Each structure stands twice: as structure tokens, then as C-alpha cells.
């Protein structure tokens, strides 16, 4: 008997013309999950989404603050969150990880610009035991002096190593130049050699006590559990949580991003570098801007997808780079708009020419209808994929909460994306892509790339020492 080949056409079946792109069907309706809201007696908020297909539960404990609490000690929030899983309750790091593995659970802690996050993914049958470990990590971290010294020295080594990594130097230099001292994005979130070297167990304990307080905490839970079962489990472990005597204030951000009056180029030498790392950018936009849908479509066309203009030109056509992208850093405190890439040293100047050609084109040339339609579909039809897994649903809810946006804003976003016009794209490109006021950072072999950059006469050139950018 001959094997059956999947997709083979039978003798009488119509011939399939594979040169014709099949038409897209009707845009499917996005059905958002139902969210139940409650709270513990001490005010810790809970939002729950029941997902009962598989016996798993995803929990995210979010505590507002993050590196915005660092003030004059950059890296404090990041280091404290790093220490949470280095020992908690009666367990050291090895015992903690061993028990998590036995339960089939994953637990992680981190600090972002705006909040701390402790996440737990666990089979439902192990939930109670895993919550005991999560409560120890969140409420009873050990911060043993030996562990703090060990992690501090490891972090100092990483900080030293990043001075030799052009991609990190360029990214940190770009933020430092875009945002003045006092802005949360000015200093590296992981700290610098001076602030990290001063860390000890007492400082970490003091910071933790003032930062991890229940009035700023909330749980987002997604998985195979109902509220009647979840609430007693959380109340037994987190219901007695009280804040410390002193709390760190989340001060308003009053420092604004630097707005140039002309293009400014900053060069950092990396002798012998095979590639140049390029950042081209400007202050970004608030996520609440009514132009958010048009900006999303515009950026998708420019550099926000693999088939974008920048990637098609510099990667596919010219072969200058393995990849190039553009993005708006959407965050509660608006981040920058930036084009970034690593390009071959011998085409650094040519890459700048092509980047600026594409930036001018998105501002000045009406879009092809097919290109516009493809970009709108790319972002609008991908919205349901943000809600596929428990972790993705929890992540979306946490992200929306950080912006103060309701869940319904997601379902409203699709039609708004599909309504973007060519005129909208050009308008926001002209308004938010200031081609004559960009900040450009290039890290590369200046002996080889400087003459070509100077010849372009793009703007004022300043050479920076890496030691002045990164401590």
C-alpha cells in the first residue's frame, strides 16, 4: 500500500494556484477573560482570571516602586530583588530552589522601573506548598551578610564586564545622554561600581523594609482556581503582612528628556571592533497619547517587524547588519523612540545614510495601500496572541494596571489600529520622528569610522570616554 501524503490532491480535486495569496478571512472577535477583583483584609488587592483547561496556576505579586525608589543609590531596587531568592525563611538559595523543583514550580523575582515583581508558576496540586515558599521570599528574605557580599561581588564583576560590551555601552550611554541626572532612566537600573560597592546586608534590609509594603501590593492570579479557594490560601500567608515604620516615597518625575535643537552625535571608541553599534533617537511619547495606534502602525512599517523598511533595506538588500529595529519604549514614565543596530565597521557611514533615508521616507512619502494594510493586520491580528497562556494573561493584566488602563482598552485597540490611515502615519512620523534633532550614539573603532561619519555632516560630533559614561 502506498503511504498517504498529507495535502496531496486527488485526481478530481481542483488545481490549487499557489501563485495567488489567499484572502484573509473576517477578523476574529477577541474575547477577553473575565476578571474577578477582591482584596485581603490588609488591603492587598487581588485580581483573578479562571483558566481551567490545564491544572496550572500563575501568580504575580506586584509591589509598586521598583527603581524609582533608588533615589541617589542606583541599583538598590534591582539588587534587593536579586537577593530575594538567595535565601528566605529557614532556607538558603539551594534549599529554596530544590524545594521549588520538587514541587514542579518556577519562582522569580525582579525589579523594573515602576514595580517589583515576584512570579510563581505551579501545578495546582502543589499550590499551597509553593505559596509557602513565595511568602517566605516576599515577606521573610534572609539577606545574610555572606550572601549579600557574594552577590555584590558578582554584580561588580558584571558591571566591569559591560564596559567591554559595545551593545551595553551604547544602550546605557544613549539613556544617560537622553535623560538628565535625577530622571529614573539616567543611571543603569543595575547600578554602577560606586553604588554597588557600598552595598551591605544592613542597607539592603533597610531598603526592603521601606519598599515592600502591603499598601502598594497586588496579586494577579490566572489559572485553574476559583476565588473561594484562592482567597483563604493568600490570606493565610499574606493577610498578616504589615508595612515597616518608614516607607520610601515614590516621588513624581519632574526631570524631562533632553530635546536637542540640532542633531548631536556622540562617539565612543572601541578599537578593533568588527561592528559599530548605532543608536538614533529622540524623546518618546506617553502611552496614553491618542496617537498610540498610529504610532504603533508607523513603527511597524519603519522598524517594528522583520519585513519593516529598515530591516528590509539594511539587512536584506544591503547586507549591512544581521538586524535593525526601531521602537517606542512604552512605560508609565515615557521612554525614548530609538533606531538601533549593530552594523559592519566598514559600512557605518553608509548605514547612517540608509537609516536617515528611511526616516525621511516615512515622514515624506505617502504609503502604499498594501504596505499599510499589512502593517495594520500584523499588529491588530496579533492581539489575541497576548492572551494565550496563563503567564501571558497575567503579564497583560499587570502591564495594563501599570498604565492605569482597563482590560477593555485591549478590545478597543484592534478597531483603532485597523482605522489608521496613510495620512495618520505620515502625521505622527513628522510629529514624533524629529529627523533634525536626533541624538546619535555610535560605539565602534573610531580610527576606521570617524572620517566617514564626519563626511556626512549630520550634526555636531562629540567623542566620549567610556569611563565617563559607565562607572
Amino acid at each position: 500500500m502506498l503511504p498517504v501524503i498529507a495535502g496531496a490532491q486527488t485526481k478530481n480535486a481542483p488545481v490549487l494556484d499557489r501563485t495567488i495569496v489567499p484572502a484573509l478571512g473576517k477578523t476574529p472577535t477577541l474575547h477577553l477573560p473575565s476578571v474577578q477583583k477582591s482584596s485581603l483584609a490588609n488591603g492587598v488587592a487581588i485580581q483573578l482570571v479562571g483558566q481551567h483547561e490545564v491544572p496550572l496556576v500563575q501568580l504575580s505579586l506586584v509591589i509598586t516602586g521598583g527603581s524609582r525608589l533608588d533615589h541617589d543609590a542606583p541599583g538598590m531596587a534591582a539588587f534587593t530583588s536579586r537577593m530575594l531568592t538567595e535565601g528566605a525563611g529557614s532556607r538558603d538559595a539551594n534549599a529554596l530552589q530544590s524545594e521549588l523543583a520538587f514541587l514542579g514550580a518556577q519562582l522569580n523575582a525582579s525589579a523594573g522601573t515602576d514595580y517589583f515583581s515576584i512570579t510563581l508558576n505551579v501545578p495546582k496540586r502543589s499550590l499551597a506548598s509553593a505559596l509557602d515558599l513565595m511568602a517566605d521570599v516576599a515577606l521573610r528574605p534572609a539577606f545574610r551578610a555572606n550572601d549579600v557580599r557574594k552577590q555584590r561581588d558578582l554584580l561588580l564583576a558584571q558591571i566591569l564586564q559591560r564596559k567591554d560590551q559595545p551593545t551595553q555601552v551604547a544602550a546605557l550611554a544613549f539613556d544617560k545622554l537622553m535623560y538628565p541626572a535625577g530622571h529614573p532612566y539616567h543611571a543603569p537600573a543595575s547600578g554602577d561600581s560606586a553604588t554597588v560597592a557600598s552595598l551591605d546586608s544592613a542597607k539592603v534590609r533597610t531598603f526592603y523594609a521601606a519598599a515592600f509594603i502591603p499598601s502598594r501590593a497586588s496579586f494577579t492570579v490566572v489559572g485553574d482556581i476559583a476565588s473561594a479557594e484562592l482567597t483563604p490560601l493568600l490570606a493565610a500567608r499574606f493577610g498578616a503582612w504589615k508595612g515597616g515604620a518608614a516607607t520610601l516615597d515614590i516621588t513624581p518625575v519632574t526631570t524631562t528628556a533632553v530635546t536637542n535643537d540640532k542633531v548631536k552625535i556622540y562617539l565612543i571608541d572601541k578599537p578593533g571592533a568588527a561592528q559599530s553599534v548605532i543608536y538614533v533617537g529622540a524623546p518618546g511619547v506617553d502611552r496614553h497619547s491618542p496617537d498610540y495606534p498610529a504610532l504603533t502602525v508607523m513603527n511597524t512599517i519603519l522598524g517594528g517587524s522583520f519585513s519593516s523598511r529598515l530591516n528590509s533595506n539594511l539587512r536584506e538588500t544591503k547586507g549591512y547588519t544581521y538586524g535593525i529595529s526601531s521602537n517606542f519604549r512604552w512605560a508609565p514614565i515615557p521612554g525614548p523612540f530609538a533606531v538601533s543596530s549593530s552594523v559592519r565597521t566598514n559600512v557605518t557611514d553608509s548605514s547612517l545614510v540608509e537609516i536617515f533615508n528611511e526616516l525621511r521616507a516615512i515622514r515624506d512619502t505617502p504609503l502604499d495601500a498594501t504596505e499599510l494594510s499589512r502593517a495594520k493586520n500584523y499588529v491588530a491580528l496579533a492581539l489575541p496572541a497576548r492572551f494565550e497562556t496563563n503567564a501571558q494573561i497575567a503579564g497583560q493584566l499587570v502591564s495594563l494596571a501599570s498604565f492605569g488602563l482597563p482590560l477593555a482598552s485591549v478590545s478597543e485597540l484592534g478597531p483603532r489600529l485597523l482605522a489608521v490611515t496613510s495620512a495618520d502615519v505620515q502625521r505622527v512620523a513628522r510629529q514624533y520622528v524629529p529627523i533634525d534633532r536626533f541624538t546619535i550614539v555610535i560605539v565602534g573603532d573610531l580610527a576606521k569610522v570617524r572620517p566617514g561619519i564626519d563626511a556626512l555632516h549630520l550634526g555636531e560630533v562629540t567623542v566620549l570616554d567610556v569611563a565617563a559614561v559607565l562607572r
Side-chain angles (χ1 to χ4, degrees), residues 322-403:
Y322 188 74
I324 182 169
S325 64
S326 65
N327 71 83
F328 289 88
R329 191 190 303 168
W330 302 113
I333 303 170
F337 163 77
V339 175
S340 61
S341 181
S342 296
V343 304
R344 296 200 324 265
T345 293
N346 65 337
V347 294
T348 301
D349 52 354
S350 301
S351 298
L352 286 171
V353 169
E354 295 304 327
I355 289 171
F356 273 80
N357 283 343
E358 297 299 345
L359 292 169
R360 290 190 188 93
I362 197 76
R363 290 163 50 100
D364 301 336
T365 307
L367 272 68
D368 172 80
T370 301
E371 184 182 34
L372 176 62
S373 178
R374 184 171 60 225
K376 291 193 294 185
N377 286 334
Y378 178 80
V379 290
L381 300 182
L383 289 176
R386 300 181 185 181
F387 294 86
E388 282 188 320
T389 67
N390 290 349
Q392 287 175 324
I393 295 171
Q396 286 296 307
L397 292 173
V398 169
S399 176
L400 289 167
S402 72
F403 288 106

Side-chain angles (χ1 to χ4, degrees), residues 19-181:
T19 66
I20 299 174
V21 178
L24 287 175
K26 184 179 179 181
T27 303
T29 301
L30 173 59
H31 297 286
L32 293 171
S34 175
V35 182
Q36 301 176 60
K37 295 187 177 182
S38 60
S39 63
L40 301 180
N42 57 357
V44 176
I46 304 169
Q47 52 180 352
L48 167 66
V49 173
Q51 293 284 96
H52 305 286
E53 290 84 357
V54 291
L56 292 171
V57 181
Q58 173 80 29
L59 298 98
S60 297
L61 171 60
V62 169
I63 303 160
T64 307
S67 59
R68 288 184 65 180
L69 301 178
D70 282 348
H71 301 308
D72 58 351
M76 198 73 214
F79 188 79
T80 300
S81 66
R82 176 183 179 133
M83 289 303 306
L84 292 178
T85 53
E86 289 301 315
S90 60
R91 303 169 186 83
D92 61 15
N94 285 335
L96 176 64
Q97 295 302 326
S98 177
E99 288 203 35
L100 287 167
F102 180 77
L103 297 172
Q106 294 88 44
L107 186 149
N108 297 288
S110 63
T113 304
D114 300 284
Y115 54 79
F116 303 94
S117 175
I118 301 173
T119 61
L120 173 68
N121 185 274
V122 59
K124 183 180 178 182
R125 69 176 185 178
S126 304
L127 177 59
S129 298
L131 274 175
D132 288 339
L133 301 179
M134 186 182 197
D136 275 350
V137 166
L139 308 183
R140 292 173 287 278
F143 299 137
R144 297 182 182 91
N146 285 342
D147 293 333
V148 170
R149 280 197 295 272
K150 182 174 68 176
Q151 291 301 317
R152 181 193 63 200
D153 292 346
L154 287 172
L155 181 55
L156 285 171
Q158 293 169 359
I159 289 173
L160 182 63
Q161 289 169 352
R162 74 186 178 196
K163 293 181 180 178
D164 195 43
Q165 298 174 2
T167 52
Q168 291 201 41
V169 172
L172 293 172
F174 181 74
D175 276 1
K176 190 181 184 75
L177 293 163
M178 286 291 304
Y179 298 96

